[in-house]
Amino acid sequence: MGFPEIRLRRLRRTEAMRRLVCETRLEPSNFILPLFVIEGSGVKKEISSMPGNYQMTIDHLARECEEVRALGIGGIILFGIPNHKDESASQAYADDGIVQQAVRAIKESVPGLLVVTDVCNCEYTSHGHCGKVVGNDVDNDITLEWLAASAVSHAKAGADIVAPSDMMDGRVAAIRAALDKNGFINTPILSYAAKYASCFYGPFREAAESAPQFGDRRSYQMDPPNAREALREIELDIQEGADMIMVKPALPYLDIIARARQRWDLPIAAYQVSGEFSMIMAASRNGWLDLDRAMMESLTSIKRAGASIILTYFAKPAARLC
Ligand code: PBG
């Protein structure tokens, strides 16, 4: 049987009908909101390339987190911007580092809110690279020690999930071993497993003050044309003990999300990164795109591709529209 008996438009005729056959629904619990924390108090400074996003001191952060919890958003992911940066990223794994302080404060004042921490060094190194620079490159194996120490310090402060984003080889195993050795056997690892060397991180680097001072990140982050290599990255991270994996950026890499979803059964996250956010914001401010619809369509597409967790700067406005 075919046309004219079969007419797919029958199921699209009314709002009620479309609602009934809808395959993909966004929920606030799918979202994780990235937040940027700075030292001091009483400061909330808008990031010019990311309207509606701020660098905040801990007092403002706590208020923001109350709002996030009230909206039913899945959680937050914290990025720290320390006053002091050095060659060895010492503030990344200091027990009184800015992220560690922020986690403690949020856990005390907003209990029940899920707190993820980004485990990386680029916000903490004077040169802006994600690890120990030896010669002109980042040394993988020394960097693993910093990452493991950071993850443990975050878990100690009360982080619910640690999320390494550095793209060093072997970091998931190193972090798992360090967490377990320190008694954090129940702290999950959300690995940024397939993270590409993307131009779409531009606005984030302004927000996190983490642009590399020389060179770029192409010797550790993935080359955009490669998809099979992403599957190898994900497979290795799963073998090393990742509890959840992430694909980043999201919209330009939906094929990777979809292939990972078909192949593995663990939770898959996707990061709608700063540049993806800023493109939609800029176009809508120019009157070229409808903000709400572009936001919801892009998020729905990411979920439809197979990501059940979406890190997004739209978490609050999207949660209000779910
Ligand atoms: C840190 C990190 C980056 C992002 C998340 N974690 C920047 C980078 O790798 O340069 C990007 C997030 C975004 O663009 O929103 N390594």
Side-chain angles (χ1 to χ4, degrees):
M1 214 199 295
F3 181 81
E5 292 85 359
I6 293 181
R7 291 177 184 268
L8 294 186
R9 287 182 60 190
R10 281 185 199 121
L11 300 186
R12 292 182 206 139
R13 287 187 60 242
T14 63
E15 186 61 43
M17 193 72 79
R18 288 191 292 272
R19 207 169 142 242
L20 188 72
V21 299
C22 175
E23 296 179 24
T24 309
R25 272 197 186 88
L26 294 170
E27 290 163 28
S29 60
N30 298 136
F31 305 138
I32 293 180
L33 175 66
L35 292 172
F36 302 96
V37 58
I38 54 175
E39 293 178 24
S41 67
V43 182
K44 184 174 175 182
K45 201 169 101 194
E46 191 165 39
I47 299 153
S48 62
S49 55
M50 301 173 68
N53 289 271
Y54 302 84
Q55 293 182 337
M56 281 177 264
T57 48
I58 287 175
D59 46 336
H60 283 283
L61 183 73
R63 253 170 274 161
E64 177 81 8
C65 286
E66 271 164 37
E67 208 186 319
V68 170
R69 184 178 60 182
L71 284 166
I73 291 168
I76 60 154
I77 180 163
L78 278 179
F79 294 94
I81 302 134
N83 283 344
H84 173 74
K85 301 184 188 229
D86 56 34
E87 295 260 305
S88 52
S90 57
Q91 287 301 301
Y93 40 86
D95 278 333
D96 61 349
I98 182 62
V99 161
Q100 292 82 351
Q101 287 181 43
V103 173
R104 272 185 229 110
I106 295 167
K107 280 287 152 191
E108 194 178 309
S109 63
V110 198
L113 179 68
L114 186 95
V115 177
V116 186
T117 54
D118 182 85
V119 176
C120 197
N121 298 300
C122 58
E123 299 111 72
Y124 303 91
T125 50
S126 40
H127 44 66
H129 276 288
C130 298
K132 165 87 175 165
V133 170
V134 177
N136 256 332
D137 200 8
V138 173
D139 185 284
N140 194 90
D141 301 9
I142 300 173
T143 302
L144 296 185
E145 292 167 26
W146 300 358
L147 295 167
S150 298
V152 170
S153 72
H154 294 173
K156 239 189 244 171
D160 296 295
I161 298 172
V162 293
S165 66
D166 51 283
M167 287 301 281
M168 297 301 123
D169 288 320
R171 67 353 187 353
V172 173
I175 289 171
R176 184 71 271 155
L179 287 172
D180 288 358
K181 194 173 138 214
N182 286 276
F184 298 106
I185 56 168
N186 288 320
T187 303
I189 299 173
L190 165 58
S191 175
Y192 288 66
K195 176 175 176 182
Y196 286 87
S198 170
C199 75
F200 292 109
Y201 307 149
F204 173 96
R205 291 181 187 170
E206 177 202 330
E209 298 172 11
S210 67
Q213 300 302 300
F214 64 89
D216 53 43
R217 302 205 204 294
R218 285 185 291 183
S219 80
Y220 40 106
Q221 297 180 349
M222 282 193 55
D223 204 14
N226 294 0
R228 292 187 297 268
E229 187 187 348
L231 302 182
R232 293 193 73 196
E233 284 283 2
I234 293 168
E235 183 159 47
L236 285 171
D237 283 6
I238 294 173
Q239 281 169 8
E240 288 179 29
D243 299 278
M244 299 177 268
I245 60 102
M246 193 196 302
V247 174
K248 177 186 173 191
L251 213 55
Y253 297 89
L254 293 185
D255 56 324
I256 311 297
I257 298 172
R259 288 171 74 167
R261 178 71 296 156
Q262 280 179 356
R263 194 145 146 195
W264 292 289
D265 291 327
L266 79 182
I268 295 176
Y271 199 141
Q272 183 182 48
V273 300
S274 56
E276 297 179 70
F277 169 85
S278 298
M279 281 195 295
I280 292 174
M281 279 309 266
S284 75
R285 288 191 163 197
N286 259 310
W288 295 341
L289 278 181
D290 179 278
L291 177 59
D292 287 353
R293 292 186 58 195
M295 170 174 87
M296 296 311 269
E297 186 175 327
S298 61
L299 292 167
T300 301
S301 301
I302 294 164
K303 188 164 179 188
R304 189 195 63 233
S308 49
I309 303 165
I310 308 174
L311 293 83
T312 174
Y313 301 96
F314 287 127
K316 287 200 296 175
R320 289 192 191 99
L321 290 180
C322 279

